[in-house]
């Protein structure tokens, strides 16, 4: 299978899992991110959580602007986002060919040595600073709106997506969603993250799609006319932007 075909298959699997997950009752359709339960928040993460940290460099990565980590019930994990390489923003995509969870379970080992043996696809490409700033605004607004759901619903199959970003004055902030429903902010964020991954891998060259999806999320925050954003502190991003 060619690399482009593999990219397309992985993208299709993520979307199928997200779209085909059993729908939640209407009252449980969340329009916000939920608190993170990954190793970024857990005081004593298990071996698998620590393996994800090691493989995807979730912590202490000064280049990172925003990141989304996809954790499907079936299939390989993947991460996409935007990073600063010097003064230049880049969209990136990283995914192992095989699931880290299944590989570790089969080997009984999630050590760094095992992770180094996994085949991994890494892609990145430059993205214009204005679009990168729009994405950062979208991520930041959603993360700052994170709250616990009123109803607790068991969700097993589907895709859990972890969003994280370093916000000025707050440090690393993370939150999650699980197979979000259409028309919700978490679903819009997942679609934005998927578009970033497609752009980074060269599946599409239309960066305008990324920018417009980011604007949709920002408009939902009610701050579409905000131009000065105090938490845009990355050196590769402008400190003031115009959304529309």
């Amino acid at each position: 299978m060619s690399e482009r075909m593999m990219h397309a298959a992985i993208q299709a699997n993520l979307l199928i899992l997200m779209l085909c997950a059993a729908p939640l009752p209407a009252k449980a359709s969340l329009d916000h991110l939920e608190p993170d339960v990954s190793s970024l928040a857990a005081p004593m993460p298990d071996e698998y959580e620590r393996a994800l940290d090691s493989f995807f460099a979730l912590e202490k990565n000064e280049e990172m602007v925003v990141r989304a980590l996809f954790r499907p019930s079936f299939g390989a994990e993947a991460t996409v986002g935007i990073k600063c390489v010097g003064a230049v923003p880049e969209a990136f995509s990283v995914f192992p060919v095989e699931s880290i969870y299944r590989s570790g379970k089969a080997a009984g080992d999630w050590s760094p040595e095992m992770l180094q043996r996994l085949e991994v696809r890494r892609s990145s490409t430059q993205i214009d600073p204005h679009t990168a700033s729009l994405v950062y605004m979208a991520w930041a607004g959603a993360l700052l709106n994170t709250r616990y759901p009123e109803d607790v619903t068991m969700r097993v199959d589907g895709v859990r997506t972890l969003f994280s970003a370093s916000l000025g004055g707050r440090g690393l902030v993370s939150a999650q969603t699980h197979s979000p429903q259409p028309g919700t902010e978490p679903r819009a964020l997942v679609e934005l993250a998927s578009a970033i991954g497609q752009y980074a891998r060269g599946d599409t060259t239309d960066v305008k799609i990324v920018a417009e999806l980011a604007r949709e999320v920002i408009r939902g925050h009610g701050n579409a006319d905000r131009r000065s954003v105090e938490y845009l502190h990355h050196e590769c991003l402008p400190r003031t932007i115009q959304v529309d």
Side-chain angles (χ1 to χ4, degrees):
M1 180 184 293
S2 70
E3 186 167 331
R4 181 170 292 276
M5 291 176 64
M6 185 174 295
H7 287 160
I10 289 176
Q11 188 71 24
N13 287 340
L14 286 173
L15 290 175
I16 289 171
L17 284 168
M18 183 175 69
L19 294 171
C20 295
L24 301 177
K27 67 176 182 179
S29 183
L30 301 179
D31 197 29
H32 55 82
L33 296 178
E34 300 174 76
D36 174 22
V37 295
S38 75
S39 61
L40 293 180
M44 298 181 64
D46 62 23
E47 288 184 301
Y48 171 58
E49 298 287 355
R50 289 197 296 269
L52 290 180
D53 284 357
S54 176
F55 191 87
F56 292 114
L58 293 180
E59 295 185 279
K60 298 178 182 179
N61 186 338
E62 295 180 357
E63 290 186 337
M64 189 264 287
V65 176
V66 300
R67 180 185 289 108
L69 170 65
F70 295 101
R71 293 178 55 173
S73 299
F74 307 98
E77 303 87 345
T79 189
V80 302
I82 293 175
K83 61 184 178 179
C84 283
V85 181
V88 178
E90 292 186 1
F92 67 87
S93 169
V94 180
F95 59 87
V97 174
E98 299 180 39
S99 163
I100 293 175
Y101 180 79
R102 291 189 177 185
S103 297
K105 273 288 190 181
D109 174 26
W110 277 296
S111 67
E113 291 73 24
M114 185 280 289
L115 296 175
Q116 290 177 2
R117 293 194 294 270
L118 295 178
E119 184 179 356
V120 60
R121 309 291 188 186
R122 301 179 188 272
S123 306
S124 64
T125 189
Q126 291 186 8
I127 189 169
D128 69 275
H130 186 267
T131 299
S133 295
L134 289 172
V135 172
Y136 192 55
M137 283 185 67
W139 240 258
L143 286 169
L144 294 176
N145 191 40
T146 299
R147 58 189 187 275
Y148 286 95
E150 294 180 3
D151 299 309
V152 178
T153 304
M154 291 297 295
R155 286 161 289 178
V156 180
D157 294 338
V159 180
R160 183 154 71 89
T161 309
L162 169 70
F163 294 90
S164 55
S166 293
L167 305 185
R170 298 177 176 86
L172 183 64
V173 179
S174 58
Q176 66 169 345
T177 187
H178 190 112
S179 297
Q181 299 298 293
T184 63
E185 179 180 87
R187 178 59 167 265
L189 280 168
V190 170
E191 292 173 353
L192 172 58
S194 296
I196 293 169
Q198 290 176 332
Y199 178 73
R201 294 188 295 271
D203 297 336
T204 177
T205 58
D206 192 353
V207 73
K208 294 180 180 178
I209 295 175
V210 176
E212 185 52 37
L213 287 171
R215 288 190 187 97
E216 289 180 9
V217 176
I218 295 169
R219 292 185 189 113
H221 300 158
N223 60 355
D225 59 347
R226 185 189 302 176
R227 301 185 183 187
S228 178
V229 185
E230 68 275 10
Y231 42 72
L232 292 182
H233 64 289
H234 294 278
E235 62 177 310
C236 67
L237 303 182
R239 291 189 176 275
T240 59
I241 64 172
Q242 184 171 348
V243 175
D244 292 313

